[in-house]
Amino acid sequence: MNRLLSGVSAGALVLAFGAGTALAGDLPGKFEGVTVDVKLIGGQQYEKLYERIPEWEKATGAKVNILTKKNGFDIDKELKSDIASGSTNWCVGWNHSSFAPQYTGLYTDLGKLLPKEEIDAFVPSTIKAATIDGKLEMLPRAQFDVSALYYQKSLYENADNKAKFKAKYGYDLVPPDSWKEVTDQAEFFANPPNFYGTQFAGKEEAINGRFYEMVVAEGGEYLDKDGKPVFNSEAGIRALDWFVNLYKAKAVPAGTTNYLWDDLGQGFASGTVAINLDWPGWAGFFNDPKSSKVAGNVGVKVAPKGSSGKRTGWSGFHGFSVTENCPNKEAAASLVWWLTNEDSQKLEAAAGPLPTRTAVWDWDLKQAENDPYKKEVLSAFQEEAKHAFAVPQTPEWIEISNAVYPELQAAILGDKTSKQALDEAVAKATQILQDAGKL
């Protein structure tokens, strides 16, 4: 993770509010009688951090009023509705590097509310991605996302499985390093309706993002150098066929086209899925006997390669932003700082999510020295981070995703061929970009 970890460790913490400057000992400031309205992402891997909010309230004298707590796709729709109706006088909101280009105008420049020393404490690549048209529109939380492969170790240690797999496929049964091997193994392990080889999130940007990274792994492009949609290529067809063929073989759950991230996490933790491409935030959950039936039986490795030799590596990160219309930006910035400071990032990173502060990466690696599972997790995700790539940086990405994913679903469910679905999806994506004046 060398390129992601390059950066400068934080100096003394300083928080600038308006014309004044608070010393490190004054943080997080005093805001007696202020109420900060917030809109947050919800879900298993995100909730623990919010337990720190009462600490901020006690320290500052302010109150936090949670207006919304939804999954990312639903909160995105709510934010767009707020923008359309002019209802943006709440203060702190969820943001994500893949969604952020849509929200320019909604969120203010945190670079004017926070000191350079504090911003420099973050991994530089995340700050660069959080800066839209020269404005630092969010502070990253400890939720840098790129997916690695989780698998049930016992399946690969079973002598009977090894013998039968070798006889059928002609190669040894080991954790997969290519998507072709994932296909073979998913079909081999599947025993529906009780057990499945793998799974995928089958709607919203979730399926479009997975499709996008598979296109790249197959040697194709989603948008070409001129920004034109070109994913109805041979590489695109191979990528979509991966989903189609696994669904047809019943190697994935029948309901997978309606799954989102929490469904995948709960599915793998239930012990009914052999192989699961998923985010780092689930690592602790999967290995906790209180939440997972596969605890103690989880292996983690870098994501597989496509036929081009490239690995899948769709990536991004979550963060918090302050609205332009917030009536008390200083208090809001204090809360955003609190939820992304070193203590908050350590809290999140302890459960598996990847930090976005340089010093917390150093801390996280130190914690893993005597924890074999944590060490395996960090090693896998550090390796995977070398292959990470963001979605196309166009404000229309989510609008395109919303138009494309029903076509991907139609192919997976057998209502259209992959070629038909992709031709129609490309036509829709092209129209969106033409309407936006991009083509």
Side-chain angles (χ1 to χ4, degrees):
M1 202 167 190
N2 292 337
R3 65 182 179 84
L4 290 172
L5 291 179
S6 61
V8 182
S9 297
L13 294 181
V14 180
L15 190 56
F17 290 135
T21 300
L23 297 176
D26 297 327
L27 291 172
K30 292 292 183 181
F31 306 100
E32 294 289 344
V34 172
T35 296
V36 179
D37 292 331
V38 304
K39 296 196 172 189
L40 304 174
I41 189 170
Q44 182 276 328
Q45 70 185 88
Y46 308 112
E47 299 290 342
K48 187 70 176 175
L49 175 63
Y50 307 146
E51 295 177 8
R52 294 207 73 217
I53 289 176
E55 298 176 46
W56 180 82
E57 292 176 320
K58 183 177 180 181
T60 64
K63 295 294 181 184
V64 173
N65 180 31
I66 299 176
L67 300 174
T68 291
K69 195 188 288 182
K70 299 177 178 178
N71 71 54
F73 305 112
D74 287 341
I75 200 170
D76 168 64
K77 294 179 177 70
E78 183 172 324
L79 298 187
K80 288 173 181 171
S81 176
D82 287 349
I83 293 169
S85 65
S87 306
T88 59
N89 61 344
W90 44 273
C91 282
V92 172
W94 165 82
N95 209 341
H96 188 281
S97 56
S98 294
F99 291 69
Q102 306 173 104
Y103 304 143
T104 296
L106 172 62
Y107 290 134
T108 197
D109 186 358
L110 289 169
K112 295 180 179 179
L113 293 168
L114 300 169
K116 184 177 184 300
E117 300 97 303
E118 182 64 10
I119 294 167
D120 285 346
F122 289 84
V123 174
S125 61
T126 63
I127 293 299
K128 181 179 180 181
T131 302
I132 312 295
D133 295 331
K135 291 168 56 182
L136 178 60
E137 295 200 2
M138 68 171 150
L139 274 194
R141 65 190 286 184
Q143 291 281 351
F144 176 79
D145 281 339
V146 66
S147 294
L149 207 66
Y150 297 90
Y151 59 92
Q152 291 196 41
K153 288 182 176 180
S154 59
L155 296 173
Y156 293 87
E157 295 165 354
N158 182 281
D160 190 47
N161 283 346
K162 289 181 179 181
K164 289 179 178 178
F165 186 87
K166 181 69 174 286
K168 184 173 183 178
Y169 295 98
Y171 65 92
D172 291 333
L173 178 62
V174 296
D177 198 51
S178 73
W179 284 107
K180 173 62 169 65
E181 291 171 0
V182 171
T183 300
D184 291 345
Q185 294 177 18
E187 292 178 356
F188 174 77
F189 288 131
N191 183 26
N194 300 314
F195 196 84
Y196 295 95
T198 190
Q199 57 183 349
F200 52 81
K203 65 179 182 178
E204 306 279 2
E205 189 227 12
I207 182 63
N208 189 46
R210 288 289 185 234
F211 167 70
Y212 158 65
E213 67 178 341
M214 291 293 282
V215 171
V216 172
E218 289 300 313
E221 294 179 297
Y222 196 95
L223 303 181
D224 68 12
K225 61 181 176 60
D226 298 317
K228 180 181 177 182
V230 292
F231 53 82
N232 58 340
S233 60
E234 289 300 317
I237 293 171
R238 288 195 303 272
L240 182 50
D241 279 348
W242 182 83
F243 300 92
V244 170
N245 293 337
L246 283 174
Y247 189 86
K248 188 182 298 183
K250 298 183 178 180
V252 298
T256 199
T257 49
N258 288 313
Y259 282 9
L260 288 175
W261 306 125
D262 275 10
D263 302 296
L264 298 188
Q266 296 293 343
F268 186 71
S270 75
T272 62
V273 176
I275 306 165
N276 183 45
L277 184 71
D278 220 327
W279 309 109
W282 289 101
F285 185 85
F286 290 153
N287 208 44
D288 184 350
K290 295 178 182 177
S291 56
S292 173
K293 293 183 179 179
V294 294
N297 187 33
V298 182
V300 193
K301 65 166 294 181
V302 65
K305 302 173 183 176
S307 64
S308 72
K310 295 179 182 177
R311 297 187 188 276
T312 51
W314 169 35
S315 69
F317 56 87
H318 294 263
F320 299 100
S321 300
V322 173
T323 64
E324 287 282 11
N325 291 334
C326 173
N328 196 319
K329 291 186 177 68
E330 291 79 11
S334 171
L335 178 60
V336 167
W337 167 79
W338 181 269
L339 293 174
T340 60
N341 68 16
E342 286 197 19
D343 287 341
S344 289
Q345 294 226 350
K346 286 176 180 178
L347 175 68
E348 292 208 273
L354 304 183
T356 53
R357 281 177 172 264
T358 306
V360 182
W361 260 107
D362 296 339
W363 172 87
D364 210 14
L365 291 168
K366 185 73 174 176
Q367 302 307 300
E369 288 179 352
N370 297 313
D371 184 340
Y373 176 72
K374 179 81 170 180
K375 196 170 184 178
E376 181 178 353
V377 167
L378 288 179
S379 177
F381 281 103
Q382 281 186 290
E383 178 61 26
E384 181 57 29
K386 298 175 184 177
H387 308 282
F389 49 86
V391 301
Q393 292 300 292
T394 173
E396 288 72 39
W397 167 251
I398 298 300
E399 187 178 358
I400 288 171
S401 288
N402 291 338
V404 168
Y405 88 77
E407 298 298 333
L408 303 180
Q409 287 180 324
I412 293 166
L413 295 172
D415 298 331
K416 298 178 181 179
T417 67
S418 292
K419 177 62 174 171
Q420 289 170 337
L422 293 180
D423 284 346
E424 293 184 38
V426 162
K428 291 179 178 180
T430 300
Q431 187 63 55
I432 289 169
L433 290 168
Q434 287 174 340
D435 291 346
K438 302 296 177 66
L439 293 177

